Amino acid sequence: MTTLRDQQLAWLDHIAKSGNITLTEIARVSGLTPSTLTRFKNNDTDGHTLTARSVKKIEDATKVPAYEARVKPRIQAFSEGEATPYVVDKTTLNPLEQSLAETISRSNSIDLWRLKTGTIAAVGYPAGMVVMVDRDEQPRNGDAVCAQKYDFRRGTAETLFRVWRTPYLLTASSSEEPGIPEIVDNENVVIVGVVVGGAHIRH
C-alpha cells in the first residue's frame, strides 16, 4: 500500500524533474526553509510526512496539485521570441506566397514561421526568412529544427530554432557568439519539427 509519505515523495520528485530544479529550490520558491525538503526526503526512519501548510505552500508556488506525480503543470504563457507564426496572404500575386499557400493546403504537418533572430543563419536561414517546419519529419544530425523549451515551474514555454547535434540543440549564428547548448530530454526541451525549406518574401 502506498503511504502518504510515498505520495509526497513521488510528488516532489515529479516537480523537481518537470521543472529541472532541486528540492532546495522548490523549498525556497515555496517560502520554506531551504533544507526542509531535503531533510524530509532523507529522514525515512519514522514515516515523517509534510504538514498540510507546507504542502499548500508548495502547491501555490509550483502550480502542481498535491501528490500529482504524472500530469505536468499546464503551460499558461507562450513565448515566440525567436520567430512568429506566418499567415499566408492568399490574395497576393507574389508567386512565392502562392507556392507556400499551395504547400499548406496539401499538408497537415507543415507550419510557417518568420524568423526574428539569426540563430540558424549559418545553415541558410537568416532573420526575416519565412521557414517551413514539418512536424512529421524525423530530425537528423545537422538539421535545423524547431523546438519547445518548457519551464513547468513558471508555466511558460519558449519556441527555439536551433541546429540538432545529438543530444544538443546548438545556435548557428553567422555573426554572434555561440549560445548555451540545450539538451533535448523530451521533457523540458522537445523537438517539434524539422525546417525543410525557406523563402524571402517581400512586403
Side-chain angles (χ1 to χ4, degrees):
M1 180 181 294
T2 302
T3 66
L4 176 58
R5 175 180 170 79
D6 291 334
Q7 292 177 346
Q8 291 178 341
L9 286 170
W11 176 51
L12 292 173
D13 184 60
H14 168 63
I15 296 171
K17 288 181 178 178
S18 295
N20 195 26
I21 57 178
T22 65
L23 290 178
T24 299
E25 289 172 322
I26 295 172
R28 283 179 177 149
V29 299
S30 303
L32 302 173
T33 302
S35 61
T36 298
L37 301 183
T38 53
R39 285 202 316 267
F40 164 66
K41 183 175 182 179
N42 296 328
N43 184 17
D44 60 354
T45 59
D46 58 0
H48 178 67
T49 60
L50 296 173
T51 66
R53 182 181 180 187
S54 294
V55 169
K56 182 66 165 59
K57 285 186 174 183
I58 296 168
E59 269 191 308
D60 291 344
T62 65
K63 310 304 181 188
V64 183
Y67 316 140
E68 177 55 73
R70 288 167 295 183
V71 181
K72 290 186 175 71
R74 183 171 61 89
I75 298 301
Q76 299 171 329
F78 201 92
S79 170
E80 298 166 350
E82 294 188 356
T84 54
Y86 185 77
V87 179
V88 174
D89 179 2
K90 296 181 180 179
T91 66
T92 185
L93 297 179
N94 184 314
L96 278 177
E97 193 126 30
Q98 291 177 343
S99 177
L100 289 175
E102 181 68 15
T103 299
I104 293 299
S105 68
R106 294 188 178 193
S107 173
N108 293 321
S109 66
I110 297 290
D111 297 321
L112 299 180
W113 294 82
R114 183 183 286 278
L115 299 175
K116 296 171 62 178
T117 66
T119 55
I120 53 174
V123 291
Y125 304 103
M129 177 176 275
V130 174
V131 295
M132 293 181 288
V133 174
D134 190 339
R135 287 177 274 105
D136 287 345
E137 191 75 15
Q138 291 300 311
R140 296 177 294 188
N141 271 317
D143 280 343
V145 299
C146 177
Q148 296 294 334
K149 180 179 180 181
Y150 303 106
D151 185 333
F152 293 107
R153 179 163 57 89
R154 295 183 174 87
T156 61
E158 179 183 6
T159 300
L160 306 176
F161 280 85
R162 298 286 191 273
V163 172
W164 169 237
R165 292 286 185 188
T166 309
Y168 300 105
L169 296 179
L170 306 173
T171 56
S173 172
S174 58
S175 59
E176 301 174 3
E177 290 294 320
I180 299 173
E182 301 282 356
I183 296 179
V184 176
D185 59 5
N186 293 319
E187 287 276 345
N188 302 293
V189 179
V190 179
I191 294 176
V192 296
V194 176
V195 178
V196 294
H200 289 284
I201 298 178
R202 180 181 177 182
H203 287 281

